[in-house]
């Protein structure tokens, strides 16, 4: 006989865990959005808010990790339950890193505030949009247990890598043509580089989600 | 799961208690000098299967067994099977320790004596060796004439295992051997099994998922007399292939 709800309390706790991971991911999405707004509008206040949001991400990280350890100790999870908890612990540390990188991105955005915009300034928000979409889709894939979407997100990472390469070339050209704006070009390039790192951590999360669902540890990133 | 040189091989085993079929087409190979745990809900046939291996079920009235059961390549249900030799080769430990109401010494030599050993020096050696194997010798060497019943439950269970070892079996069957023991004693018995598996093939029935996960190399999940899943323990407990195994080991069925 299937005993419906025999582990109802535990199931509820796993659900809450997953909700918290979602909230943590959404917070990073908010950081990406705000950071780009701060950059586009040279808005110092928005930049401050991004940095504040990182504290919230760190708090999620701690709370979720504590919860995971508590569930491991008290529920002795097996099979998928075990994979969910073990993966969650990895996923939150990846999301936590994303938050840190967004702080770095924002710090460079701040340094660029009040300086004349480069012709290539629009490339950064464009890249950020791509990264944000990857994160959004990863969160969707987690809640829908959608492995196809996971694979797609990982493929999108290539586009981010390609964008970074392009931006590198553009920056080089800009520096050669206008050495006086080298500083701005380099700052911008740093922003792109950190965004690219965020995308890498998103693909790590994807691999964990894949493991959670299939029990297979696989390098999805090619 | 493919096992190169199985110690025990079971093929299409059907077992009936009268008209009730307790085992259905069970096919399983047991790896030599490994610990295999058998798990599954109450009444699924774990003890029945275990008792197949030393033909303890034979005494049950109305029992009928079909299929192949081989140990070391020999059909143990063949007509000319030497039952004394089989019971010697395949020993069993039960839920509750069941030492005889005799001295510790006499418990250990009970089997060898039944098998005709009378030489005192030889028997002394057997006692020392068997008690050492279960890590009891140093503690008990000066108290061998004490009643076995005066020992703690854990030591009694160890003594029961040493009593088996005294007749030099190959296979040790344990039916929920720790269910009467406290957690510390349970862990100590599990540790003992890890040592014993260097020399013996061990099958353990347990209701304790953590025990199966901790202590066994391979895990066999049964349901209603059927084999549902059989594989390396770490795979079964991290990534079971069958939904029914998953439901059972995660506590959502049972
Ligand atoms: N001597 C017997 N005569 C008739 N039916 C029996 C006999 N022994 C066991 N059975 C039945 O066979 C089935 C399997 O019993 P078995 O004792 O092997 O289960 P088990 O998995 O060991 O259960 P548990 O976890 O409760 O020890 C049960 O339905 C049981 O009622
Ligand atoms: Mg039983």
């Amino acid at each position: 006989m299937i005993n419906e709800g025999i582990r109802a309390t535990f199931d509820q706790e796993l659900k809450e865990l997953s909700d918290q991971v979602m909230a943590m991911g959404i917070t990073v999405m908010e950081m990406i959005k705000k950071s780009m707004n701060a950059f586009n509008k040279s808005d110092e206040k928005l930049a401050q808010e991004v940095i504040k949001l990182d504290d919230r991400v760190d708090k999620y990280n701690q709370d979720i990790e504590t919860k995971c350890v508590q569930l491991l100790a008290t529920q002795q999870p097996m099979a998928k339950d075990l994979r969910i908890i073990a993966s969650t612990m990895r996923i939150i540390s990846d999301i936590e890193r994303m938050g840190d990188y967004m702080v770095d991105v924002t710090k460079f955005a701040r340094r660029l505030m009040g300086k004349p915009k480069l012709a290539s300034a629009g490339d950064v928000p464009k890249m950020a949009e791509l990264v944000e979409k990857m994160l959004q889709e990863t969160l969707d894939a987690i809640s829908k247990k959608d492995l196809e979407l996971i694979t797609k997100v990982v493929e999108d990472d290539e586009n981010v890598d390609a964008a970074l390469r392009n931006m590198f070339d553009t920056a080089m050209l800009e520096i050669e043509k206008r050495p006086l704006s080298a500083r701005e070009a380099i700052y911008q390039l740093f922003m792109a580089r950190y965004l690219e790192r965020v995308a890498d951590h998103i693909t790590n999360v994807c691999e964990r989600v894949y493991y959670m669902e299939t029990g297979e540890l696989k390098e999805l990133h090619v | 799961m493919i096992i190169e040189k199985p110690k025990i091989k079971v093929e299409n085993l059907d077992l009936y208690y009268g008209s009730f079929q307790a085992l259905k087409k069970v096919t399983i190979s047991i790896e030599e000098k490994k610990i295999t745990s058998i798990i599954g809900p109450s009444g699924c046939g774990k003890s029945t299967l275990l008792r197949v291996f030393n033909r303890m079920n034979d005494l049950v009235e109305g029992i009928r067994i079909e299929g192949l059961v081989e140990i070391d390549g020999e059909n143990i249900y063949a007509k000319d099977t030497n039952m004394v030799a089989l019971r010697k080769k395949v020993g069993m430990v039960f839920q509750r320790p069941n030492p005889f109401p005799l001295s510790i010494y006499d418990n250990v030599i009970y089997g060898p004596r039944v098998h005709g050993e009378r030489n005192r020096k030889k028997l002394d050696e057997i006692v020392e060796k068997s008690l050492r194997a279960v890590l009891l010798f140093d503690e008990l060497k000066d108290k061998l004439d004490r009643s076995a019943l005066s020992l703690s439950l854990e030591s009694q269970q160890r003594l029961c295992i040493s009593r088996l070892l005294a007749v030099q079996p190959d296979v040790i069957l344990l039916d929920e051997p720790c269910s009467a023991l406290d957690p510390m004693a349970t862990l100590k018995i599990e540790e003992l099994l890890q040592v014993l598996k260097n020399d013996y093939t061990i099958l353990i029935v347990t209701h304790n998922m953590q025990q199966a996960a901790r202590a066994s190399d391979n895990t066999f999940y049964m349901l209603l007399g059927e084999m549902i899943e059989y594989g390396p323990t770490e795979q079964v407990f991290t990534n079971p292939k069958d939904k029914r195994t998953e439901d059972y080991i995660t506590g959502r069925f049972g």
Side-chain angles (χ1 to χ4, degrees):
Chain A
M1 84 238 78
I2 293 282
N3 289 312
E4 285 296 344
I6 191 172
R7 300 213 78 183
T9 316
F10 183 39
D11 285 337
Q12 182 58 33
E13 288 188 289
L14 286 178
K15 169 86 176 58
E16 279 164 20
L17 200 62
S18 161
D19 288 349
Q20 284 216 300
V21 172
M22 289 295 145
M24 185 178 179
I26 289 168
T27 309
V28 171
M29 280 175 51
E30 222 176 304
M31 289 175 80
I32 301 174
K33 246 188 268 209
K34 276 214 161 90
S35 177
M36 287 307 111
N37 276 335
F39 175 63
N40 287 335
K41 299 181 197 152
S42 292
D43 187 331
E44 168 65 26
K45 209 180 127 262
L46 278 177
Q48 299 277 9
E49 284 178 27
V50 176
I51 289 157
K52 274 230 188 65
L53 281 176
D54 191 48
D55 295 340
R56 203 196 290 173
V57 171
D58 291 346
K59 178 82 168 53
Y60 274 123
N61 186 38
Q62 273 186 11
D63 290 352
I64 298 171
E65 185 176 346
T66 307
K67 187 74 200 170
C68 286
V69 171
Q70 183 223 313
L71 288 176
L72 285 175
T74 56
Q75 299 286 344
Q76 282 99 40
M78 291 287 190
K80 185 152 186 213
D81 298 336
L82 178 60
R83 299 205 303 271
I84 290 175
I85 294 171
S87 304
T88 298
M89 292 179 81
R90 296 282 305 259
I91 287 172
I92 56 174
S93 93
D94 276 307
I95 302 181
E96 191 265 333
R97 298 293 293 150
M98 294 177 207
D100 291 346
Y101 282 126
M102 285 319 299
V103 169
D104 292 332
V105 169
T106 310
K107 282 182 177 159
F108 280 101
R110 267 165 105 181
R111 291 192 192 180
L112 285 166
M113 281 175 194
K115 301 224 163 59
K117 286 260 190 264
L118 297 177
S120 62
D123 293 351
V124 179
K126 231 186 269 166
M127 185 181 195
E129 213 172 288
L130 209 58
V131 173
E132 192 194 327
K133 182 163 155 273
M134 283 173 70
L135 184 51
Q136 173 72 65
E137 286 176 345
T138 303
L139 298 179
D140 288 350
I142 294 177
S143 51
K144 292 191 224 141
K145 309 185 196 317
D146 184 342
L147 295 182
E148 248 170 73
L149 192 51
I150 283 296
T151 320
K152 183 188 164 293
V153 173
V154 174
E155 282 165 13
D156 281 348
D157 186 50
E158 318 250 316
N159 298 332
V160 175
D161 291 347
L164 180 64
R165 280 194 298 273
N166 283 334
M167 287 164 78
F168 185 84
D169 293 342
T170 312
M172 288 305 121
L173 287 176
E174 248 162 1
I175 291 168
E176 280 162 15
K177 266 198 279 175
R178 270 182 292 276
L180 283 181
S181 51
R183 190 183 293 263
E184 286 78 14
I186 290 169
Y187 287 175
Q188 241 178 238
L189 198 55
F190 266 102
M191 292 174 76
R193 165 70 181 150
Y194 288 132
L195 283 167
E196 187 266 338
R197 292 298 294 143
V198 172
D200 285 345
H201 284 279
I202 294 176
T203 64
N204 285 352
V205 171
C206 288
E207 280 169 6
R208 293 298 134 190
V209 177
Y210 191 86
Y211 172 70
M212 202 152 87
E213 293 304 325
T214 64
E216 232 179 294
L217 264 182
K218 199 158 94 170
E219 188 94 23
L220 296 174
H221 202 77
V222 272
Chain B
M1 192 170 55
I2 295 155
I3 285 161
E4 290 295 334
K5 253 187 62 218
K7 180 76 183 173
I8 303 178
K9 200 166 112 190
V10 178
E11 266 174 28
N12 287 321
L13 179 74
D14 289 315
L15 185 148
Y16 302 83
Y17 291 116
S19 60
F20 174 72
Q21 186 169 6
L23 297 176
K24 297 171 191 158
K25 291 274 170 283
V26 172
T27 295
I28 180 178
S29 288
I30 304 294
E31 213 168 346
E32 183 165 28
K33 295 187 181 170
K34 288 278 157 65
I35 301 176
T36 302
S37 60
I38 304 176
I39 59 170
S42 201
C44 71
K46 303 179 294 296
S47 299
T48 300
L49 179 63
L50 213 58
R51 288 192 302 255
V52 162
F53 301 130
N54 65 351
R55 295 190 53 175
M56 277 242 308
N57 291 317
D58 288 18
L59 311 168
V60 177
E61 211 169 311
I63 197 159
R64 193 153 53 84
I65 298 174
E66 286 160 16
L68 181 72
V69 184
E70 283 182 356
I71 300 184
D72 292 326
E74 277 182 45
N75 178 359
I76 63 163
Y77 282 87
K79 277 212 178 61
D80 59 352
T81 298
N82 178 339
M83 293 300 287
V84 175
L86 177 67
R87 298 264 161 80
K88 195 169 163 222
K89 184 172 184 160
V90 185
M92 188 151 188
V93 177
F94 300 90
Q95 259 184 32
R96 281 203 76 79
N98 57 347
F100 304 127
L102 300 169
S103 72
I104 292 163
Y105 187 95
D106 287 334
N107 262 277
V108 180
I109 63 164
Y110 191 88
R113 217 174 235 167
V114 168
H115 290 102
E117 186 59 65
R118 289 285 180 274
N119 182 320
R120 187 72 195 187
K121 199 163 151 275
K122 204 66 188 286
L123 291 172
D124 284 351
E125 275 169 25
I126 292 175
V127 169
E128 172 161 357
K129 191 156 171 268
S130 308
L131 286 176
R132 275 204 194 286
V134 298
L135 313 175
L136 273 183
F137 187 74
D138 290 330
E139 183 189 330
L140 297 182
K141 60 173 184 271
D142 301 321
K143 308 170 190 160
L144 295 175
D145 54 350
R146 280 202 359 211
S147 165
L149 301 176
S150 68
L151 297 170
S152 72
L153 277 182
E154 180 209 338
S155 295
Q156 286 186 21
Q157 197 59 302
R158 281 175 190 268
L159 181 66
C160 291
I161 296 172
S162 81
R163 198 172 59 188
L164 282 187
L165 303 185
V167 297
Q168 298 180 293
D170 279 0
V171 180
I172 304 176
L173 311 173
L174 304 112
D175 198 345
E176 299 180 53
C178 300
S179 59
L181 304 182
D182 70 35
M184 197 51 92
T186 297
L187 289 174
K188 286 188 187 156
I189 295 288
E190 288 174 17
E191 280 304 311
L192 173 61
L193 296 182
Q194 299 305 319
V195 177
L196 292 178
K197 84 169 177 188
N198 291 319
D199 301 306
Y200 306 93
T201 301
I202 299 174
L203 280 116
I204 177 171
V205 166
T206 177
H207 279 285
N208 179 335
M209 292 306 104
Q210 275 66 44
Q211 177 165 68
R214 272 194 307 260
S216 70
D217 302 293
N218 297 318
T219 296
F220 180 63
Y221 174 57
M222 296 177 69
L223 185 62
L224 298 169
E226 276 182 89
M227 164 171 132
I228 302 298
E229 182 154 353
Y230 181 42
T233 296
E234 73 268 17
Q235 177 250 303
V236 173
F237 284 99
T238 58
N239 192 15
K241 300 282 170 255
D242 195 292
K243 175 81 167 60
R244 292 166 290 181
T245 316
E246 171 104 29
D247 286 342
Y248 182 68
I249 64 176
T250 61
R252 289 183 177 77
F253 165 90

